[in-house]
Amino acid sequence: IDPCSNDDPFPERLWSEMAAFFGSYQNRGMRLPGGRYACARALAATRLPSLAGRSLGEVCHIVQLAVSKRQVLGYLDGHVVPYFQSQAVVKQHSAVLQQPAWSLKKDT
């Protein structure tokens, strides 16, 4: 398994479950470790059914795709967070509002 690969061999059911899990209100403030490996270990501990039985290498690949391709996860202050709370979303909103990103970030 190449965790950096852009190939996505995972079923859509996995991505739907991940999006629902990280989009839920109860996981709103979730912060996972910023490194792909550490994040994968923490994510495996959540016991999401779609991750059951998957190797740590597969979960690392899922983390990579969730950040880089699927926009399920993103980064904020060195942590992996649900995408809607990520720095990328803050930057998108600041561009739309034509405001500096730092002024929006302190309100999140």
Side-chain angles (χ1 to χ4, degrees), residues 81-94:
V81 297
Y83 184 76
F84 69 90
Q85 294 179 301
S86 70
Q87 185 67 34
V89 171
V90 171
K91 286 181 180 180
Q92 287 172 352
H93 288 150
S94 67

Side-chain angles (χ1 to χ4, degrees), residues 9-10 15 37 56 59 62 75 87 93 95 108:
F10 303 105
W15 297 114
Y37 177 78
L56 192 54
V59 180
I62 289 166
Y75 288 98
Q87 185 67 34
H93 288 150
T108 60

Side-chain angles (χ1 to χ4, degrees), residues 3-108:
C4 295
S5 171
N6 281 328
D7 293 334
D8 186 351
F10 303 105
E12 285 301 316
R13 184 184 89 257
L14 177 139
W15 297 114
S16 297
E17 184 177 302
M18 295 270 295
F21 179 78
F22 287 106
S24 74
Y25 185 76
Q26 70 187 37
N27 295 318
R28 195 166 195 49
M30 180 177 271
R31 286 180 169 233
L32 297 166
R36 186 174 46 239
Y37 177 78
C39 181
R41 287 187 57 162
L43 192 55
T46 64
R47 306 228 191 278
L48 281 167
S50 292
L51 299 179
R54 296 200 181 272
S55 70
L56 192 54
E58 286 179 300
V59 180
C60 284
H61 190 188
I62 289 166
V63 169
Q64 175 67 25
L65 294 172
V67 171
S68 67
K69 194 171 184 180
R70 293 292 188 140
Q71 295 183 331
V72 172
L73 298 172
Y75 288 98
L76 180 66
D77 297 332
H79 292 89
V80 175
V81 297
Y83 184 76
F84 69 90
Q85 294 179 301
S86 70
Q87 185 67 34
V89 171
V90 171
K91 286 181 180 180
Q92 287 172 352
H93 288 150
S94 67
V96 168
L97 298 174
Q98 296 181 347
Q99 293 182 0
W102 61 266
S103 68
L104 296 177
K105 184 179 169 194
K106 61 184 173 184
D107 294 334
T108 60

